[in-house]
Amino acid sequence: MARDIVHTCSECGFQSPQWHGRCPGCEAWGTLVEERVLARTGARSSASAARGSGRGSRAGRHTGAGGEVAPCPRPLREVTATTAARLSTGIGELDRVLGGGLVPGSLVLLGGSPGIGKSTLTNMALGNLAGAGHATLYVSGEESAEQVRLRAERLAPGALEVPILAETDLDAVLDTLATHSPRVCVIDSVQTLRAGELTGAPGAVGQVREVTGRIMELAKERGIAVVLVGHVTKDGALAGPRVLEHLVDCVLQFEGERERPYRELRALKNRFGSTNEAGLFEMRQGGLVEVLDASARFVAGATRAPGSVVLAAMEGSRPLLVEVQALVAPSELEQPRRVVSGLDRNRMALVLAILGRHGGVAMGGADVFVNVVGGVRVDEPGCDLAVALAVASAARGVPLRGTPRACFGELGLTGELRWVGHPERRLTEAAKHGLYATIAPADSGPGACEVTTLREALAAALSSEANRPTRVAA
Ligand code: TYD
Ligand code: MG
């Protein structure tokens, strides 16, 4: 007899008939939860349905009890691929991150911490789509229809045209989708829907997977573009199993600090476009506003004080100038503090080590704080030099020569400055905002102040009397 109890890891989705204290799949402790499958109607499980549906022919596949007739593979040449027209959300930054708009029949997972603006963004997008004459549906499992209306009142008038369904029962949602067949549907959020045939609270691993699988099946069949809103855990990972990320076509992450106005939208996975793209928004009274002149704002706000450097970064295919600030102060702690925001912590540790070993700027027991101004996150190797110059400038108490000064480049472990992608776009962006002699690695192109090592960069950036070895006292 088939077992009807399964233990599923809430981190990685590993399943086992027995309970384990530690998940054999991902070795996390105490993550296995019991799930009871009451009934599985239909011959196919949601996972196999998701694999089979919409991915080409299912003809000839028999799932009879006796034996399966294997489907016949075809050469790719014979597969007819139609390029479906994308649906523009009317939000330029969102369309760009999606790779040119929503693809009919695709599933997009939009993750982000609470209050970051996921509902606002999806409300606005649906409003624009409804305004453009597309049939839309907003399924709210978190907020009542009244609450959603109150939010929509603050947005553009089109937002009030969007039909809403406040529902948490998966079957009811699927029925509505099947009946109304909208072109675009937003499920806010996937963790609040509940599949009746599974036990387990909404948001449990099995539930989330089943919900996603069944929605996907319908979406592929009807060509509905679905945006699933998802919560993220404290560590920033999407709550629910990672399998969810494998199931969907596109994973978007909406990030930023709630207290600050800037929000960044990034693609972590995209079957229909690049994952390098990022979009910048600002939360205002009337909803999210695209920030198109971000570089100008950050350069205008750059302080020109010791510890301030402009980084010519790349946000996907787009250059962005941001200010990196550092503060170096004597520490009273046994273990001095290394505080970083907007950058990778390990990357900063590495840069500090290179700076001490190859730049003659030893932090010793000093506290070091590094911050990318405006709450923006920069995730690329080109930021190394900016961190190094900001920290060196702060440690020596001298501003950069010709500040505000831009720079970019990756630091190697032997103190060399390495080439990074798109130097010409970075240099053009810097020049556009009045920043010349940008410190850059060799072969970056005309207009750059090219240097090959960290030492040369320090010599170019800081005045000569500041170029003696520095040791910050603890
Ligand atoms: P919300 O979209 O509900 O966030 P999420 O769905 O990610 O949890 O909204 C987030 C915040 O944005 C909320 O605290 C109120 C604020 N907000 C504005 O500042 N301006 C606006 O026009 C709207 C609609 C919301
Ligand atoms: Mg919300």
Side-chain angles (χ1 to χ4, degrees):
M1 204 181 84
R3 287 171 184 273
D4 59 358
I5 287 184
V6 64
H7 296 88
T8 311
C9 171
S10 55
E11 293 290 320
C12 70
F14 177 87
Q15 289 192 322
S16 152
Q18 289 132 17
W19 186 82
H20 298 268
R22 187 178 203 182
C23 169
C26 66
E27 306 200 331
W29 286 96
T31 52
L32 258 70
V33 284
E34 184 181 300
E35 285 175 356
R36 182 192 289 269
V37 184
L38 288 181
R40 254 199 197 280
T41 46
R44 294 179 300 144
S45 74
S46 64
S48 67
R51 274 196 301 275
S53 57
R55 297 273 196 279
S57 84
R58 268 192 280 161
R61 187 194 287 265
H62 301 287
T63 47
E68 274 201 10
V69 177
C72 181
R74 302 178 282 163
L76 281 171
R77 182 180 341 105
E78 289 173 17
V79 178
T80 45
T82 48
T83 45
R86 299 208 181 214
L87 298 165
S88 167
T89 62
I91 305 172
E93 295 285 274
L94 176 58
D95 281 349
R96 205 166 47 79
V97 174
L98 284 169
L102 286 165
V103 176
S106 72
L107 246 74
V108 176
L109 181 63
L110 172 67
S113 40
I116 208 76
K118 302 180 295 296
S119 305
T120 308
L121 184 70
T122 45
N123 276 190
M124 289 172 66
L126 281 192
N128 293 343
L129 283 157
H134 297 296
T136 58
L137 178 67
Y138 184 84
V139 178
S140 176
E142 276 180 8
E143 296 164 300
S144 66
E146 293 77 26
Q147 285 171 313
V148 179
R149 190 207 146 104
L150 287 177
R151 179 186 313 103
E153 278 175 5
R154 300 169 71 175
L155 309 174
L160 288 170
E161 304 305 318
V162 178
I164 178 167
L165 176 72
E167 182 59 72
T168 54
D169 181 52
L170 176 65
D171 289 323
V173 171
L174 290 175
D175 283 347
T176 312
L177 274 177
T179 317
H180 294 270
S181 257
R183 296 221 58 198
V184 186
C185 169
V186 170
I187 311 271
D188 191 358
S189 66
V190 65
Q191 278 108 340
T192 52
L193 291 197
R194 187 167 191 285
E197 65 271 30
L198 296 184
T199 58
V205 194
Q207 286 281 358
V208 172
R209 200 172 29 202
E210 181 73 11
V211 164
T212 310
R214 302 235 332 247
I215 291 176
M216 172 182 267
E217 199 175 351
L218 190 68
K220 303 271 177 212
E221 203 176 288
R222 304 280 175 116
I224 308 170
V226 179
V227 180
L228 301 170
V229 174
H231 295 166
V232 295
T233 60
K234 280 201 298 295
D235 337 326
L238 276 157
R242 302 231 64 175
V243 270
L244 202 60
E245 293 185 24
H246 295 297
L247 277 181
V248 300
D249 300 299
C250 180
V251 180
L252 302 184
Q253 180 90 0
F254 206 27
E255 47 192 38
E257 291 164 43
R258 230 185 313 179
E259 310 75 44
R260 305 207 204 180
Y262 292 114
R263 304 276 185 271
E264 256 183 301
L265 184 69
R266 286 171 186 280
L268 304 185
K269 162 183 176 178
N270 195 350
R271 286 190 181 142
F272 312 112
S274 151
T275 50
N276 288 325
E277 296 298 341
L280 201 60
F281 294 90
E282 192 179 353
M283 185 59 98
R284 295 227 193 116
Q285 269 312 313
L288 290 155
V289 183
E290 298 165 58
V291 179
L292 300 172
D293 60 343
S295 293
R297 288 193 199 189
F298 292 133
V299 171
T303 63
R304 298 157 195 244
S308 159
V309 175
V310 174
L311 163 65
M314 289 302 292
E315 285 279 289
S317 60
R318 200 172 51 166
L320 176 70
L321 303 180
V322 288
E323 184 189 1
V324 177
Q325 291 187 345
L327 172 69
V328 178
S331 180
E332 285 159 8
L333 299 173
E334 185 101 333
Q335 261 203 335
R337 261 181 264 175
R338 301 284 184 257
V339 183
V340 60
S341 84
L343 294 159
D344 182 44
R345 196 183 146 76
N346 292 330
R347 201 76 213 167
M348 167 163 115
L350 189 79
V351 172
L352 292 186
I354 298 170
L355 199 56
R357 183 70 185 78
H358 299 289
V361 187
M363 290 309 120
D367 288 336
V368 180
F369 304 86
V370 176
N371 179 30
V372 182
V373 177
V376 182
R377 194 169 169 80
V378 192
D379 248 337
E380 62 136 351
C383 67
D384 291 357
L385 183 61
V387 176
L389 292 184
V391 171
S393 159
R396 289 170 180 174
V398 277
L400 257 59
R401 199 187 284 160
T403 184
R405 187 94 180 256
C407 70
F408 62 90
E410 180 181 2
L411 286 177
L413 295 186
T414 57
E416 83 277 17
L417 194 62
R418 307 178 71 97
W419 189 88
V420 286
H422 306 295
E424 65 303 323
R425 288 197 206 166
R426 300 174 196 251
L427 291 169
T428 315
E429 183 76 357
K432 201 166 107 191
H433 295 91
L435 307 184
Y436 299 98
T438 296
I439 305 171
D443 292 331
S444 288
C449 167
E450 290 183 0
V451 292
T452 53
T453 61
L454 174 61
R455 247 175 221 288
E456 281 178 39
L458 289 170
L462 298 168
S463 59
S464 49
E465 75 269 26
N467 269 333
R468 57 201 149 68
T470 311
R471 209 184 151 75
V472 182

